[in-house]
Amino acid sequence: MVMKNPKLAQGTRRKLVPLQVLVPIVSTVIALGIGLLIIAATGASVVEAIEAFWDGMAGSDFNIGASINRAISLALVGLGFIFASRANLTNVGGEGQIAMGGMFATAAALHGAGGLPLGLAFIVPLAVGTVAGAVWGGLAGFLKAARGTNEVISTLLLSFIALPLVYWSVESFHLLRKPISDVSSLPESAEIPDSTKLPLLFPDNGSPLHIGLLIAAIAVVVVWLVLKHSTLGLRLRAVGLNATASRRAGMRTSFYVILAMTVSGGLGGLGGAIMILGQQLYLTSDFSSGYGFDGLVVGLLSRGSAVGVVIGALLFGFLRSGSINMEISAHVPSAVVLICQGLIVIVIAGSAILTNRKVTR
Amino acid sequence: MALLELSGLTKRFGAFTALDDITLLIERGEVHCLLGENGAGKSTLCNLVFGVHRPDAGTMTLGGEPFDPRGPAEALQRGVVMVHQHFSLVPNMTVAENLMLGRASAVLKPQDIIVRMEQLAAEYGLEIDPEARIDELSVGERQRVEIIKCLLGDPQLLVLDEPTAVLQPDEIDALLAICRQVALRGKSVILVTHKLGEISRVADRTTVLRQGRIIATVAMEGADIRSLVRSMVGRDVQSAGSVLAAAVDIEGKTPAKSSSDVGPTSPGEAVLQISDLVYRDPHGVPRLDGLSLTVGTGEIVGIAGVEGNGQTELGLILAGLAAPSAGAIVVGGTQVTGCTPQEITDAGVGIVPEDRHAVACIKELSVAENLYLGAIGKFSRFGLLDKSARRKAAETMMRDFDVRASSPDVSMASLSGGNQQKAVLARELSLDPLVFLLAAQPTRGLDVGAIEAVYNRIRAARDDGLGVLLISSELEELMAVSDRIAVIYRGKLVGELAAGSFSREAIGAMMSGHAHV
């Protein structure tokens, strides 16, 4: 009934825009406040902790760059999540797609890409990592299209396969493990050649910020265009909302399911490749360390908006940097920040129910 | 004294007034029908009486006492029960178990339920196996369970919200008989419907609602059906002949066909040829069993039959949503057997599917998006949508086909069923090329005004030289619109009647498998 009156609908929407901006901010503040209480409860100095936290997030050009670099990979996984969710598919396998992307990018960088000219040295590993992630996501899409396997389960289980694959590859000398030079040699790959590392945007001021930022920015614009304004976006939406009606209207629904999961996985794979080529520079067994799940949360909180993904990724990227520094210099466990992240999610998700209820009333 | 008294009831949803100053008496022992187009406020009125919504103004009394239910629980306590359009039964539990749900007693005694069910079966003819699982029952039987659930507690007032929309003809007869039985025992029945035929068969009095107001309350003895129709839609229905005949069906008379309704005397060349079509479901049961049929250009062929005799499967196969096990389908010389929906569309086939919500449209998308669902690429440049061009084209199409919506950008879900169906017809009849149209249950759930529009579109398509296959469970509709009626029984066509020789009795006999022509 309300839908029939466009004036009314507009009225409620106008009121809601600030609410949708306000809610995440307020929930972040509340969550951080609770985090401070926990820090105080552990007996650590709250002032020291805040200083260390701020320093880690944005205390220097280096720290800002590192925070943004973290946000880049989170944003790519988040974009992948909203791409799949446009077709009503839930890709929870970001962790595995990052792992596959990072592992294959490392392999490409170590074996062959290093000598390529004209920037191809890092472009080829990026592309290889993207394809690896795309295959990992596409596999879930194929299972869904061919056998109806629930993609939530298949992407999750594919992650449980991908993570041990990375472990295997860094444990095995036949694969990516570097030769043992002394007793302290860890199971990890050799460092990638300099030519395959992502070029820095500001090489002079010591910021680690690299061109992954540009790649992510392009990805944001492309995903936004495709989802909001393209025929492909509309077809994905139609297939996700009602597969039978879409099939009747001439769409190949299996194709779009596989495509959505492939692109989604590819974005995750790209995120993983950027983590290796931009920051970590060698492969370790646990290099993805929760980025896939954080990226999933970023995608969830954005509610399908590419801009929301950017904001969420920056928030989580900075929080992660701050928490690492807080642990190192103020001896506050970084788990406190994880608790805060969890609180942010719960408060935002909870308030989403409230705002939704206002829309439907 | 009246059982239920409504005075000045008003209900608003936001700025929309769903009910406006309703004053109405429901007598004891009467079947009171509520009649009106979609959105007239019939369901809202029921929901107020059942406590689902609370009125913004006005009062109710029940049996002389003030009645202001704060929720269905309170209404139930006062002896008001309601059967909703959508059933609330647990599919994987038995009938008896479902009936025990929601009983307040802490100790459940299945034998008490079974004894009570036997009483109800004796009193009202409501027979059903207490041990049957709900998901094994037909729609009609499930509804019977809902009614039993209502009658368990010996209520005063039974409210039925469009109970016949989902039923087959024989089930409708049974339901109307039950309503009469309930009323004979001094209880009252409120029956929401937009089928005039039912009203003339069961109602003691009828109240016509339009735009949330009462237009008239009429005692049915000696009432003029035509004036009821007029007050329902607010105007004279054009070409009233066949529409009224189809909708009214007073005492099951054969509707007369006016000469203008009859198509060209001799249909042209075959546009659809189905030969020996066989379809087995996943369990290997043959749903279509050697069906052969030809539709010529410029004719409407109706398929009559009791539901579940293969009509649904025939519709799905023609739409390309199911692949036949054997047989061939040729459209205008092109083989389309087992082809994809896109290939079938390209061969010139328009489909108005039986299940509008599941197959024909995507209710969350806008009207414009639905009108061009099969041609998303038509309004695009470099893969990006040209939304303003699409909006313009959609506006033209909506004007041509009288699809009423405030804008092409509103969601399909916000349209009435009639306008949704007009949009589907607009899309399918605008296909190019187009030589054949399948219309499966095209007027199901629509109000009289929309039914008329659908009939006119189908006839116009026929007059333009299309071959039309009309699958319907409404016999009156088939007799009013078709040039030829074929009867389907257990997946086969068992007989055929040409225009002018339609007879309810003959078709009915063939539908039940008793006679061949």
Side-chain angles (χ1 to χ4, degrees), chain A residues 89-240:
Chain A
L89 297 166
T90 308
N91 175 13
V92 301
E95 196 78 16
Q97 290 142 17
I98 286 183
M100 294 305 279
M103 179 168 70
F104 277 88
T106 311
L110 287 175
H111 301 288
L116 294 171
L118 300 170
L120 281 174
F122 68 86
I123 292 175
V124 167
L126 278 181
V128 169
T130 307
V131 170
V135 168
W136 220 236
L139 207 53
F142 172 77
L143 288 171
K144 171 96 179 182
R147 317 281 332 166
T149 314
N150 186 323
E151 77 283 357
V152 175
I153 291 165
S154 61
T155 50
L156 195 64
L157 294 182
L158 281 167
S159 288
F160 291 151
I161 296 173
L163 296 175
L165 281 179
V166 175
Y167 184 70
W168 180 33
S169 76
V170 296
E171 285 284 346
S172 167
F173 294 107
H174 307 296
L175 299 171
L176 295 173
R177 182 166 184 177
K178 69 177 178 190
I180 295 179
S181 51
D182 59 69
V183 284
S184 67
S185 285
L186 295 168
E188 58 195 28
S189 79
E191 188 170 322
I192 57 172
D194 282 347
S195 61
T196 59
K197 294 175 184 167
L198 294 183
L200 300 179
L201 287 177
F202 309 105
D204 300 332
N205 72 352
S207 165
L209 196 60
H210 52 65
I211 64 157
L213 181 64
L214 302 182
I215 298 171
I218 293 169
V220 167
V221 173
V222 170
V223 167
W224 172 76
L225 264 183
V226 167
L227 294 188
K228 289 279 174 198
H229 296 287
S230 77
T231 55
L232 174 61
L234 180 53
R235 289 198 172 101
L236 289 174
R237 197 161 164 235
V239 169

Side-chain angles (χ1 to χ4, degrees), chain B residues 110-281:
Chain B
Q111 62 271 33
D112 290 357
I113 293 283
I114 290 170
V115 168
R116 183 81 182 105
M117 280 179 74
E118 278 162 8
Q119 287 173 356
L120 289 174
E123 251 184 281
Y124 300 104
L126 282 162
E127 298 212 20
I128 204 138
D129 174 11
E131 297 306 319
R133 270 170 50 132
I134 297 296
D135 49 13
E136 293 163 349
L137 301 180
S138 73
V139 174
E141 289 168 321
R142 289 179 202 205
Q143 188 182 55
R144 200 171 299 169
V145 177
E146 285 280 3
I147 293 173
I148 292 173
K149 200 160 86 180
C150 285
L151 295 178
L152 279 179
D154 204 25
Q156 303 189 62
L157 174 64
L158 174 63
V159 181
L160 298 159
D161 190 4
E162 295 206 31
T164 60
V166 293
L167 299 185
Q168 298 168 20
D170 52 332
E171 293 174 327
I172 293 177
D173 292 344
L175 176 77
L176 297 184
I178 290 166
C179 289
R180 182 45 60 201
Q181 286 298 318
V182 172
L184 280 176
R185 279 163 180 76
K187 310 174 196 310
S188 307
V189 179
I190 297 180
L191 179 72
V192 173
T193 181
H194 38 229
K195 292 187 188 168
L196 288 155
E198 291 161 7
I199 287 176
S200 58
R201 278 154 68 190
V202 74
D204 295 308
R205 291 192 302 153
T206 296
T207 292
V208 181
L209 287 170
R210 193 166 78 227
Q211 289 168 7
R213 287 165 186 273
I214 291 185
I215 300 301
T217 296
V218 204
M220 288 310 292
E221 242 176 319
D224 176 12
I225 296 288
R226 260 164 212 278
S227 72
L228 264 184
V229 174
R230 204 176 306 124
S231 41
M232 180 169 153
V233 293
R235 64 191 155 88
D236 273 311
V237 176
Q238 301 289 313
S239 70
S242 59
V243 178
L244 273 178
V248 174
D249 177 29
I250 313 157
E251 292 137 23
K253 267 189 295 190
T254 304
K257 243 169 118 82
S258 64
S259 59
S260 69
D261 295 339
V262 180
T265 41
S266 58
E269 67 210 82
V271 61
L272 172 79
Q273 268 177 308
I274 302 176
S275 25
D276 298 318
L277 199 62
V278 178
Y279 177 76
R280 287 188 198 86
D281 68 11

Side-chain angles (χ1 to χ4, degrees), chain A residues 1-6 8 225 228-232 234-235 237-238 241-242 244-251, chain B residues 15-16 319 321 341-342 345 351 357-359 361-362 364-365 369 373-374 376-377 380 383-385 387 390 411 414:
Chain A
M1 292 293 167
V2 175
M3 295 298 290
K4 279 184 181 170
N5 189 333
L8 199 75
L225 264 183
K228 289 279 174 198
H229 296 287
S230 77
T231 55
L232 174 61
L234 180 53
R235 289 198 172 101
R237 197 161 164 235
L241 289 169
N242 185 338
T244 309
S246 303
R247 207 144 66 85
R248 176 79 270 285
M251 291 172 227
Chain B
F16 177 80
L321 294 173
Q342 185 67 57
T345 305
I351 304 279
H357 298 290
V359 183
C361 56
I362 301 181
E364 295 89 347
L365 295 184
E369 283 165 341
L373 197 60
I376 288 176
S380 71
L384 295 183
L385 289 166
K387 289 176 192 167
R390 186 181 64 194
S411 78
S414 68

Side-chain angles (χ1 to χ4, degrees), chain A residues 258-280:
Chain A
I258 296 173
L259 179 75
M261 287 307 293
T262 303
V263 172
S264 180
L267 285 163
L270 178 61
I274 287 178
M275 280 168 70
I276 294 290
L277 303 175
Q279 296 111 275
Q280 308 200 354

